[in-house]
Amino acid sequence: MARFPTFPAPNLLLRLFSSNKRSSSPTAALLTGDFQLIRHFSAGTAARAAKDDKEPWWKESMDKLRNIGISAHIDSGKTTLTERVLFYTGRIHEIHEVRGRDGVGAKMDSMDLEREKGITIQSAATYCTWKDYKVNIIDTPGHVDFTIEVERALRVLDGAILVLCSVGGVQSQSITVDRQMRRYEVPRVAFINKLDRMGADPWKVLNQARAKLRHHSAAVQVPIGLEENFQGLIDLIHVKAYFFHGSSGENVVAGDIPADMEGLVAEKRRELIETVSEVDDVLAEKFLNDEPVSAAELEEAIRRATIAQKFVPVFMGSAFKNKGVQPLLDGVVSYLPSPNEVNNYALDQMNNEERVTLTGSPDGPLVALAFKLEEGRFGQLTYLRVYEGVIKKGDFIINVNTGKRIKVPRLVRMHSNDMEDIQEAHAGQIVAVFGIECASGDTFTDGSVKYTMTSMNVPEPVMSLAVQPVSKDSGGQFSKALNRFQKEDPTFRVGLDPESGQTIISGMGELHLDIYVERMRREYKVDATVGKPRVNFRETITQRAEFDYLHKKQSGGAGQYGRVTGYVEPLPPGSKEKFEFENMIVGQAIPSGFIPAIEKGFKEAANSGSLIGHPVENLRIVLTDGASHAVDSSELAFKMAAIYAFRLCYTAARPVILEPVMLVELKVPTEFQGTVAGDINKRKGIIVGNDQEGDDSVITANVPLNNMFGYSTSLRSMTQGKGEFTMEYKEHSAVSNEVQAQLVNAYSASKATE
């Protein structure tokens, strides 16, 4: 009777299972009960097993993974393209258009507001499968006010598709997006969309990309016909024509190249080989020796050059007319890198933030980055990109930024706003986790290392508005909404103006803030009124003034008595302190116990100057003498004496109003330089620098904040949307006499009406 091999005891089996090491031989696989590997070994030959020894178990699945983003100028057809990609990869079973005319709207635009306005506001993440490859796609917004979404998406991607419109060409936002891709070193392929539209000219767009974006690029396809005659594409690598049949272009039919196009195809293929050989040595050798280049050799050279960011292959098509999307997917799989072909760095917090190269293997310690947060139906949803190691449901992970230890309660894979539960995810994957409290940009590890991913570049907010809920009852929902928006979006800030008591929201532009006010109304049912915020002016004094004040009050029983004498003077320019108090009394004219009360009184008085009621700064108060009463003197008496003394001598010290001046840096195409500079002068700005950077002029100026409201809109209209600006606080400086008179009169009028 045949004897069956005895298996190890159950608890030993459990221990072997939990060791999480992959077996390297059939015997070991049998011992550990690794049934997946038993099947694997029995299927392969001994040579295959030897090869498997060298290659880690995750290598194949990593090679077949792509993390890509689709970004472009607003209205270039990004979301429409994503919709087609999902349809052809079998993730959705029917196609819906972007503006939701059919009542459904595009799959990736899951917020009501997005479907109504036809623009993508948040980046939705989804994944699909194409020819054995798993592709994670992040659909990013194209509007300049949402650049933080684009930056965050690019931070976690390995490759990207830059969509260009065949009519509009390279537009302002295409330039911004391309600049961001360069910053994060993201390899990219370009897709010239909308070839079916009137005036489509892909060759003009290709030349624009070379000139404006400085892309080293060439077309890998030639269109068959343009505008309404657009029928299909010719693949320059395999030299084949492709036509797209079926109701939604799902049947790709290969055919012969039309006879009248053979000359153009030969010329464009030679141009492609020449362009790639300029950046790839292997292909250059063949090209210089005039040897024929096979399709496989050309494909490999394009892949090498694209991953090294030396070349951008250009695809063509019309997503709306369902043409050219499948070859683009082939291009993504062929030319964009897998996670282990990209170098990612972390900062080691234990070693003075030294840069560490991550291996990107699931065998290493867990390193994951939270790059996006959403408030879902079941609490906070956190999007994670796993850079190294494996994350499992039920594991404990540590938030390096806060030091908190958290359990992973639920792990899901996202498909726009639908989700699928999964048990584990390894390096290279993008997943979402429920029930984890964190901010966007936090790094998670398993505790064995203390790495943080390099901090994401968060631009400073450039615009502020005052908001308040219309009804008093909705205060709770109002603050809940603001808290959530702040967590989701690092460029959205909320502050309270201590002087006016208004809630001030700051963001990347008017549209950015309008969208949040609108979201507050829709998602939290809070109607808010929006006003122009009050600029934070300050007051100061320009000369020394003496004070001598006696505060005396008698009202049956203990009265109040306190006398203070001294002077106020401006602090020297550049001093760190805004307020200084010095006691120079010799002897006991005022008991030392009352001195703090006097200082407190002066501080309180300086909180509100008499010109326009704003705080007074750069002020030094010196106490030289005083008098007290044995019975009637008290802390309150001296505090009141200080307040009145300050008010009396303030006017004699010739006060002036200070306004915040911003350092504004503008980047505008040279042709608009004159207009923009003229506008800055009109806003009482002083231009301090003007440099040339490629085709752009970089203007630096100091402009009063009060004159900068609505500037983002007027800059866009002056530069056809191509200009961008950053603004940061520089200093408070004195306003002109004319402005001071206006401000004082406005303040007096408002006080009179109260």
Side-chain angles (χ1 to χ4, degrees), residues 628-658:
S628 63
H629 186 278
V631 178
D632 291 353
S633 283
S634 64
E635 284 190 3
L636 177 66
F638 276 108
K639 186 178 159 187
M640 296 309 289
I643 291 173
Y644 289 123
F646 181 81
R647 287 185 189 163
L648 275 180
C649 72
Y650 187 61
T651 324
R654 297 230 344 250
V656 292
I657 297 170
L658 304 175

Side-chain angles (χ1 to χ4, degrees), residues 3 44 70 90 221 276 300 310 343 350 357 418 455 472 508-509 513 535 542 566 588 650 663 748:
R3 291 283 306 275
I70 301 179
Q221 295 169 335
V276 178
E300 279 170 24
K310 292 177 181 169
N343 285 334
M350 307 290 280
T357 307
D418 305 336
S455 65
K472 289 273 193 314
M508 297 312 296
L513 297 176
V535 176
T542 53
Q588 285 288 312
Y650 187 61
L663 178 67
S748 310

Side-chain angles (χ1 to χ4, degrees), residues 375-381 410 419 434-435:
E375 195 74 26
R377 292 188 297 273
F378 313 105
Q380 183 173 301
L381 181 66
R410 187 177 169 198
M419 54 198 78
F434 272 107

Side-chain angles (χ1 to χ4, degrees), residues 513-544:
L513 297 176
D514 286 350
I515 293 271
Y516 278 119
V517 172
E518 184 72 3
R519 276 184 66 188
M520 210 183 293
R521 195 173 65 75
R522 283 173 183 245
E523 294 172 33
Y524 287 90
K525 309 286 182 285
V526 176
D527 274 317
T529 52
V530 179
K532 180 181 167 183
R534 181 172 150 188
V535 176
N536 294 335
F537 292 107
R538 293 284 178 268
E539 296 180 26
T540 191
I541 55 174
T542 53
Q543 66 181 39
R544 175 173 159 152

Side-chain angles (χ1 to χ4, degrees), residues 440-458:
S440 88
D442 284 359
T443 307
F444 293 97
T445 67
D446 54 9
S448 59
V449 288
K450 205 170 178 190
Y451 293 165
T452 56
M453 297 309 295
T454 40
S455 65
M456 290 185 282
N457 188 338
V458 177

Side-chain angles (χ1 to χ4, degrees), residues 76 114 168 218 227 255 262 319 325 327 335 351 355 357 423 487 509 523 528 606 609 624-625 667 689 719 737 754:
S76 295
E114 291 182 341
E227 300 176 2
E262 282 176 354
V325 179
Y335 306 133
N351 197 358
R355 278 178 78 160
T357 307
Q423 291 305 308
K487 261 191 172 176
E523 294 172 33
T624 55
D625 200 3
K667 197 169 198 178
T719 60
N737 292 340
E754 278 175 16

Side-chain angles (χ1 to χ4, degrees), residues 138-420:
I138 305 237
D139 180 22
T140 56
H143 201 287
V144 69
D145 280 331
F146 306 112
T147 51
I148 186 66
E149 286 281 354
V150 182
E151 298 222 348
R152 242 193 267 159
L154 290 180
R155 181 70 186 78
V156 297
L157 297 180
D158 302 323
I161 301 172
L162 179 64
V163 185
L164 300 168
C165 171
S166 65
V167 183
V170 175
Q171 292 156 292
S172 59
Q173 188 66 10
S174 323
I175 298 170
T176 311
V177 167
D178 191 69
R179 194 181 296 139
Q180 289 166 333
M181 287 187 189
R182 268 211 179 95
R183 179 187 295 151
Y184 290 118
E185 299 178 352
V186 178
R188 50 209 174 276
V189 300
F191 180 66
I192 299 178
N193 196 12
K194 304 192 179 184
L195 289 187
D196 58 306
R197 273 184 55 186
M198 285 286 290
D201 185 350
W203 307 113
K204 174 197 81 178
V205 179
L206 181 56
N207 288 330
Q208 277 185 350
R210 286 171 179 165
K212 290 187 179 176
L213 304 175
R214 294 186 179 75
H215 276 182
H216 190 75
S217 57
V220 291
Q221 295 169 335
V222 172
I224 304 171
L226 284 171
E227 300 176 2
E228 67 266 25
N229 303 321
F230 177 49
Q231 294 164 359
L233 295 160
I234 296 169
D235 180 351
L236 293 177
I237 294 163
H238 299 96
V239 198
K240 277 185 192 165
Y242 289 108
F243 300 94
F244 304 89
H245 299 314
S247 58
S248 303
E250 62 270 25
N251 302 325
V252 183
V253 180
D256 294 328
I257 295 171
D260 59 338
M261 292 189 71
E262 282 176 354
L264 176 69
V265 169
E267 178 201 326
K268 291 292 177 191
R269 188 171 200 265
R270 185 175 173 79
E271 186 186 305
L272 170 66
I273 294 170
E274 189 176 342
T275 313
V276 178
S277 63
E278 284 172 22
V279 290
D280 186 81
D281 298 341
V282 183
L283 195 67
E285 207 171 303
K286 290 215 142 201
F287 178 70
L288 293 171
N289 296 336
D290 258 348
E291 293 175 29
V293 176
S294 71
E297 285 169 336
L298 184 52
E299 245 180 7
E300 279 170 24
I302 294 175
R303 179 174 176 80
R304 282 193 300 271
T306 306
I307 291 174
Q309 296 157 59
K310 292 177 181 169
F311 177 73
V312 179
V314 178
F315 291 81
M316 302 183 184
S318 164
F320 187 63
K321 288 282 192 284
N322 311 313
K323 291 185 170 76
V325 179
Q326 296 95 322
L328 174 66
L329 278 167
D330 289 338
V332 163
V333 162
S334 305
Y335 306 133
L336 290 179
S338 63
N340 50 1
E341 289 173 300
V342 178
N343 285 334
N344 286 305
Y345 297 96
L347 300 177
D348 189 353
Q349 297 301 318
M350 307 290 280
N351 197 358
N352 201 15
E353 292 220 335
E354 194 179 314
R355 278 178 78 160
V356 184
T357 307
L358 296 175
T359 58
S361 86
D363 290 339
L366 171 70
V367 179
L369 174 74
F371 67 96
K372 184 164 167 34
L373 313 176
E374 271 175 26
E375 195 74 26
R377 292 188 297 273
F378 313 105
Q380 183 173 301
L381 181 66
T382 308
Y383 285 83
L384 287 182
R385 157 79 202 252
V386 187
Y387 284 98
E388 197 170 73
V390 177
I391 184 169
K392 291 181 184 168
K393 183 181 170 179
D395 269 3
F396 281 97
I397 56 175
I398 286 170
N399 181 337
V400 180
N401 300 55
T402 62
K404 283 184 183 163
R405 188 163 178 262
I406 310 155
K407 188 176 181 181
V408 181
R410 187 177 169 198
L411 206 56
V412 294
R413 189 181 280 140
M414 292 306 295
H415 176 42
S416 191
N417 59 345
D418 305 336
M419 54 198 78
E420 301 163 28

